[in-house]
Amino acid sequence: MDKRTYAGIPSNYATQEKSKVVLIPVAYDGTSTWGKGADKGPEAFLEASENMELYDIETETEVYKEGIYLSEILENFESPDEMVKRVHGVVKDFLFRKKMVTMVGGEHSISIGAIQAFNETYNDLTVLQIDAHADLRKEYNGSRYNHACAMYEASRTTNLIQVGIRSMDSSELSVMNQENVFFAHDMVTDEFWVDKVLESLTKHVYITFDLDALDPSILPSTGTPEPGGLFWYETLDFLKRVFEETEVVGFDIVELCPNKQERSSDFLAAKLYYKMLSYKFLNEHGLTEREYRPLGNFEEMERKEEDYEY
């Protein structure tokens, strides 16, 4: 039986040796406290990806041709500590192999080990957290690796920038650097919030995208949906500029809690991942959208595509 590939892409674009991108699914939901089911998120994400068109209209690219290797799923953890340790080890190994490492979860605590690995690799790392929740508790329910603690260590060891925050505990105020926090209620009235976020980033950026950052009207299937979130096109416009103006070295997408009666959230997560990769490699090749648009006839289109072989 052939090995499963990301989005069902041809196997020649999915080998570990030749792929530029690694996707690590982490099926973990060990500490969530309300909406359970994030451990089922990776499978729902992969199934939706297999039913997604792979030509991106906006960028006019097929980014899977860069090579996307689907790693073995990480699952069956005995404790939060073991989960963080295993994620850290796998991510560090792929970084050593010079891959762009991406993850899909799983609850938000899976990001802790990944951020540790990236922070050990890059001296000037910014963690860009896109999220409804601050996740800055030092410990919660007896563990420092709880989902409510997902960003505490990053706040101490990296340049943590938090975007879309609209729910937190008062205890987190003593930890939070409010100059680096973009609260959802302020973003609504600040037309320059994207510029301000970009000014706060260092060269190397790791994005951790908790899907509850999005408004529940477009993504209800997440552990703790909060009203007042981001919408699709404003999110894409923001991400596009981050990829244009910094070097995004990796990212994760977490907190998809699939619901069999509501499949659109799964598909949104799949599209978001593919969009982020499309922006990443569009900019890596030094292209702008305008440069990549067809010139007007098929002969010229073919010649232009040859100029930018992936």
Side-chain angles (χ1 to χ4, degrees):
M1 183 176 179
D2 293 338
K3 183 182 183 300
R4 185 181 193 178
T5 64
Y6 161 75
I9 63 176
S11 57
N12 58 307
Y13 292 114
T15 65
Q16 183 178 156
E17 295 76 18
K18 295 183 179 180
S19 294
K20 294 182 179 179
V21 178
V22 169
L23 170 59
I24 306 169
V26 186
Y28 180 71
D29 192 26
T31 74
S32 61
T33 48
W34 191 46
K36 304 290 283 186
D39 56 324
K40 306 295 192 300
E43 177 55 37
F45 166 89
L46 290 171
E47 184 178 339
S49 299
E50 290 165 359
N51 290 279
M52 179 180 65
E53 303 283 5
L54 295 177
Y55 172 73
D56 182 68
I57 298 173
E58 178 190 11
T59 60
E60 298 176 3
T61 61
E62 295 177 297
V63 73
Y64 75 88
K65 292 180 179 179
E66 299 289 346
I68 304 170
Y69 173 69
L70 179 59
S71 174
E72 295 297 324
I73 190 168
L74 298 183
E75 57 187 344
N76 301 323
F77 306 99
E78 294 184 1
S79 68
D81 297 62
E82 184 207 352
M83 179 275 297
V84 170
K85 183 177 180 180
R86 281 177 58 188
V87 169
H88 171 269
V90 172
V91 171
K92 195 68 179 288
D93 180 62
F94 282 121
L95 287 174
F96 181 77
R97 298 169 189 266
K98 307 298 184 184
K99 304 296 185 181
M100 181 183 179
V101 181
T102 63
M103 293 197 313
V104 61
E107 65 170 61
H108 207 166
S109 59
I110 73 166
S111 304
I112 298 172
I115 291 169
Q116 290 173 348
F118 276 90
N119 197 34
E120 291 163 2
T121 305
Y122 296 94
N123 293 325
D124 63 342
L125 187 69
T126 287
V127 173
L128 174 58
Q129 174 197 5
I130 306 171
D131 200 333
H133 305 93
D135 292 344
L136 288 174
R137 303 189 200 207
K138 185 175 182 180
E139 183 178 286
Y140 193 66
N141 286 347
S143 174
R144 61 196 177 105
Y145 294 144
N146 188 282
H147 72 100
C149 312
M151 293 297 114
Y152 176 80
E153 186 176 318
S155 74
R156 307 293 91 184
T157 60
T158 74
N159 178 43
L160 175 65
I161 307 299
Q162 301 180 284
V163 173
I165 307 302
R166 55 194 190 277
S167 181
M168 61 183 291
D169 186 78
S170 61
S171 65
E172 296 172 278
L173 287 169
S174 63
V175 176
M176 176 178 281
N177 178 358
Q178 294 196 39
E179 291 185 0
N180 287 349
V181 181
F182 296 82
F183 291 104
H185 69 274
D186 291 328
M187 292 162 58
V188 171
T189 58
D190 185 355
E191 62 180 304
F192 300 109
W193 72 264
V194 173
D195 297 308
K196 293 174 182 177
V197 172
L198 290 167
E199 289 171 1
S200 67
L201 305 178
T202 55
K203 178 182 178 182
H204 297 113
V205 175
Y206 180 85
I207 301 174
T208 179
F209 198 117
D210 187 326
L211 291 167
D212 65 28
L214 299 169
D215 194 81
S217 64
I218 66 168
L219 194 139
S221 296
T222 186
T224 312
E226 295 278 352
L230 293 163
F231 291 95
W232 180 244
Y233 284 109
E234 67 178 322
T235 300
L236 293 187
D237 287 343
F238 171 50
L239 289 171
K240 191 188 311 179
R241 289 197 58 190
V242 173
F243 279 95
E244 284 174 352
E245 299 185 31
T246 70
E247 183 179 344
V248 176
V249 293
F251 63 84
D252 64 57
I253 296 175
V254 298
E255 296 286 354
L256 174 65
C257 294
N259 175 356
K260 291 182 179 179
Q261 308 306 315
E262 193 281 301
R263 307 292 297 277
S264 64
S265 294
D266 307 348
F267 204 80
L268 188 154
K271 290 286 284 189
L272 178 66
Y273 177 84
Y274 202 68
K275 275 289 189 183
M276 291 172 75
L277 285 186
S278 298
Y279 295 152
K280 166 66 179 177
F281 286 95
L282 186 70
N283 290 293
E284 184 174 279
H285 289 289
L287 306 178
T288 65
E289 289 176 66
R290 181 169 296 182
E291 286 172 333
Y292 206 89
R293 292 194 184 283
L295 297 178
N297 64 62
F298 289 108
E299 183 176 335
E300 289 175 322
M301 286 169 66
E302 290 174 358
R303 183 167 65 250
K304 195 168 187 66
E305 188 168 326
E306 289 171 2
D307 289 342
Y308 299 115
E309 284 187 356
Y310 290 151

